[in-house]
């Protein structure tokens, strides 16, 4: 059962979890600790999981599952009682976050809404991801299977990750691919999601360059003047007033 040492450990984890919210959520930097405790559902889900996990480890039947179910009903965040969560996890907004039974989450990890740490089938044993320290996971990202997300990695929004992720890398796409920005990863606690590389667009540019070279060669063989090569234009937000008004 819960002993004094367990209660002290839970108290320390609570302080570190509150500190993570204050450090990584701009909306929490000018509010009191009481307001954070009352108004942040990601923190509520995490605190409930800390208790449920301790009870599960102590062999308590039924109660850990009931706590996890209650937490999901109130916060929209589902964390299996057996999942191992490190210090300083910050779940921003959190609605739709799912963390499976054998998932392991390291210290100082940031997750946004809609993140899934899930399995890929009905296998037994270790079947959910291991997320190492200082990882940032963007909105809607799906991490599936017994893969490892390396220390300091950043997962782009809506990325589907089914393979190992090297440390200190940025992954985008479906399936996810490690990419770089100017030869290095984005710095800071959060990724600059707007300016992440687009590996699909890069592949199309490479293909367009190759097609243009082939067209020039064909034109030269025919004695014709090469035409203007096609260009892959990156998508950019439209400028000017919105056609929808407002």
């Amino acid at each position: 059962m819960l002993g004094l040492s367990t209660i002290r450990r839970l108290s320390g984890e609570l302080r570190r979890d509150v500190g993570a919210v204050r450090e990584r959520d701009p909306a929490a930097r000018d509010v009191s600790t009481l307001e954070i405790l009352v108004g942040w559902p990601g923190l509520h889900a995490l605190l409930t999981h800390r208790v449920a996990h301790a009870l599960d480890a102590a062999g308590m039947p039924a109660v850990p599952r009931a706590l996890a179910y209650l937490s999901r009903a109130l916060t929209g965040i589902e964390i299996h009682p057996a999942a191992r969560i490190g210090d300083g996890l910050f779940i921003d907004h959190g609605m739709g976050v799912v963390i499976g039974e054998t998932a392991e989450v390291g210290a100082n990890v940031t997750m946004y809404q809609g993140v899934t740490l899930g399995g890929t089938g009905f296998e037994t044993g270790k079947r959910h991801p291991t997320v190492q320290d200082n990882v940032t996971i963007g909105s809607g990202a799906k991490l599936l299977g017994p893969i490892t997300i390396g220390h300091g990695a950043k997962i782009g929004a809506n990325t589907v990750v089914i393979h190992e992720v090297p440390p200190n890398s940025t992954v985008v796409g479906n399936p996810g691919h490690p990419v770089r920005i100017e030869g290095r990863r984005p710095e800071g606690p959060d990724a600059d999601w707007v300016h992440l590389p687009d590996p699909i667009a890069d592949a199309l540019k490479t293909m367009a360059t190759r097609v243009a070279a082939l067209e020039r060669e064909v034109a030269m063989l025919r004695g014709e003047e090469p035409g203007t090569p096609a260009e892959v234009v990156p998508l950019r937000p439209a400028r000017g007033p919105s056609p929808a008004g407002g």
Side-chain angles (χ1 to χ4, degrees):
M1 299 301 293
L2 291 177
L4 186 59
S5 61
T6 302
I7 294 174
R8 281 199 298 265
R9 176 173 57 81
L10 290 173
S11 177
E13 290 173 342
L14 170 60
R15 287 193 298 271
R16 290 187 288 272
D17 293 336
V18 170
V21 173
R22 192 181 300 282
E23 175 187 349
R24 279 175 260 162
D25 189 347
R29 289 174 184 167
D30 296 323
V31 301
S32 66
T33 298
L34 178 60
E35 188 171 347
I36 291 176
L37 289 171
V38 170
W40 263 254
L43 183 61
H44 300 160
L46 191 55
L47 296 181
T48 305
H49 171 74
R50 301 286 190 202
V51 175
H53 183 74
L55 293 173
D56 183 71
M60 174 75 71
V63 176
R65 292 272 191 170
L67 286 173
Y69 182 83
L70 178 63
S71 176
R72 184 182 69 172
L74 293 176
T75 68
I77 299 169
E78 180 175 343
I79 308 177
H80 193 283
R84 298 171 60 183
I85 308 295
D87 291 340
L89 172 64
F90 173 47
I91 303 176
D92 194 11
H93 299 289
M95 180 63 69
V97 167
V98 177
I99 301 177
E101 178 184 12
T102 62
E104 300 176 46
V105 178
N108 303 316
V109 170
T110 300
M111 294 183 190
Y112 292 87
Q113 66 271 18
V115 167
T116 298
L117 305 186
T120 56
F122 297 99
E123 67 274 12
T124 58
K126 174 65 172 169
R127 61 191 186 279
H128 298 99
T130 295
V131 179
Q132 296 183 346
D133 300 345
N134 303 308
V135 171
T136 300
I137 307 175
S139 303
K142 312 301 177 188
L143 284 58
L144 305 176
I147 57 177
T148 297
I149 310 301
H151 175 95
K154 294 181 179 179
I155 311 300
N158 292 318
T159 298
V160 178
V161 184
I162 56 176
H163 301 296
E164 305 282 321
V165 173
N168 298 318
S169 61
T170 300
V171 175
V172 300
N174 180 8
H177 300 280
V179 294
R180 287 286 191 269
I181 298 178
E182 298 177 355
R184 58 184 178 84
R185 70 184 182 90
E187 297 299 333
D190 298 306
D192 182 4
W193 307 121
V194 175
H195 300 104
L196 286 177
D198 186 344
I200 296 177
D202 291 342
L204 289 174
K205 289 178 182 177
T206 300
M207 184 182 299
T209 301
R210 180 59 178 161
V211 169
L214 292 174
E215 288 176 342
R216 284 195 300 271
E217 291 182 15
V218 170
M220 291 175 61
L221 291 173
R222 291 177 175 176
E224 300 172 353
E225 191 70 24
T228 302
E231 181 182 358
V232 179
V233 179
L235 294 176
R236 292 289 183 265
R239 298 184 179 182
S242 170

